[in-house]
Each structure stands twice: as structure tokens, then as C-alpha cells.
Amino acid sequence: MGGIPTYTEIDRDREQVRDWARTAARACDAKGGDDTVILEVGAVLAITDAFVLTAGRNHRQVATISDEVEAALKGAGGPSPLRVEGREQAEWVLLDYGDFVVHVFLDEVRRYYDLERLWSDAPRLGWQEAAPASRA
């Protein structure tokens, strides 16, 4: 019927965005992304809900990580990026999914821009699977 979304619908949508951000973070990790984090920036930045940040050690790895993020999200029934920037240079690839943005940096570029410091007030969202309990 359209209309104004209910709180339940908003929470469900927010949780879907978190799930997609976690999928992106796991894809980064699967291709060796360094120090992958998810920052929930929605409370301080009106244009998106989350940033996924990771780094690669060389241009080829940056490109591979960004390709893996796109493939993993597509495979999970997630969205396609609205826009992609920086793929040619592979120093800072930005995958803009609207509700969340994935930043895949070359190590030294990540250190230079230091987005974690810039958004230090933003809470971090856990994305790693809990280790299975060992059976003794």
C-alpha cells in the first residue's frame, strides 16, 4: 500500500543492510583483506548507513578484493553497486551500494586517509563468525 514505513520495516531494512555489509566484509577477508572493519556511520552521516573498510597489499589484490565483494553480494541475492570508482588505478576502490559503501584501499592509501580516525565516533559492527566451541 506504500505509505510511511513502520519501525519494524525500518529495523528489518537496517538489519538487511548490516547483513550485506557483513557479507562484503567476509568477502574482503576471503581474499586476504587486511584489518577489515565495518563502521556504522548512519547516525553521523545521512547519506549511508555503513562503511566497510579493508586494505590490500598491492594493486592486483585491491582489484581482486573488490571483484570478490561484488560476486559475494550478487551470490547472496544482494544489490549491485550503484557506482564504482577507482577500479582502474586500484589504489582506492569505492563500491557504493547506497545504504553501505565498501572502501578497498591499497595499504599506504588507507594509512594516508585514515577513515577510521575520521569516523572514530562511529560504532563498529562485528562481522566475523564466532569460532566453533571445541569439544574436549
Side-chain angles (χ1 to χ4, degrees):
M1 306 268 215
I4 299 172
T6 66
Y7 287 114
T8 304
E9 290 170 325
I10 293 169
D11 287 343
R12 184 175 52 241
D13 290 345
R14 190 170 293 131
E15 195 53 42
Q16 180 64 72
V17 170
R18 287 178 179 139
D19 287 344
W20 288 332
R22 287 181 187 111
T23 297
R26 289 183 188 115
C28 294
D29 189 58
K31 292 301 180 182
D34 291 330
D35 194 23
T36 302
V37 297
I38 303 174
L39 302 177
E40 291 191 288
V41 296
V44 292
L45 186 64
I47 60 172
T48 194
D49 290 332
F51 285 162
V52 178
L53 307 171
T54 197
R57 292 176 293 285
N58 56 56
H59 296 275
R60 182 176 293 181
Q61 187 181 25
V62 168
T64 298
I65 292 168
S66 58
D67 290 345
E68 182 65 17
V69 168
E70 285 191 71
L73 284 163
K74 183 177 182 177
S80 294
L82 302 173
R83 66 186 179 143
V84 176
E85 295 182 14
R87 191 180 302 271
E88 297 79 31
Q89 298 84 6
E91 292 182 0
W92 179 356
V93 177
L94 183 142
L95 303 164
D96 182 354
Y97 288 90
D99 292 325
F100 65 101
V101 178
V102 179
H103 300 268
V104 184
F105 293 97
L106 195 59
D107 275 331
E108 56 266 20
V109 174
R110 183 179 187 175
R111 285 192 303 275
Y112 179 81
Y113 287 101
D114 199 6
L115 293 186
E116 288 97 330
R117 184 186 53 76
L118 183 64
W119 300 104
S120 62
D121 292 343
R124 291 183 181 218
L125 178 65
W127 59 269
Q128 295 173 313
E129 311 272 357
S134 63
R135 296 181 183 224

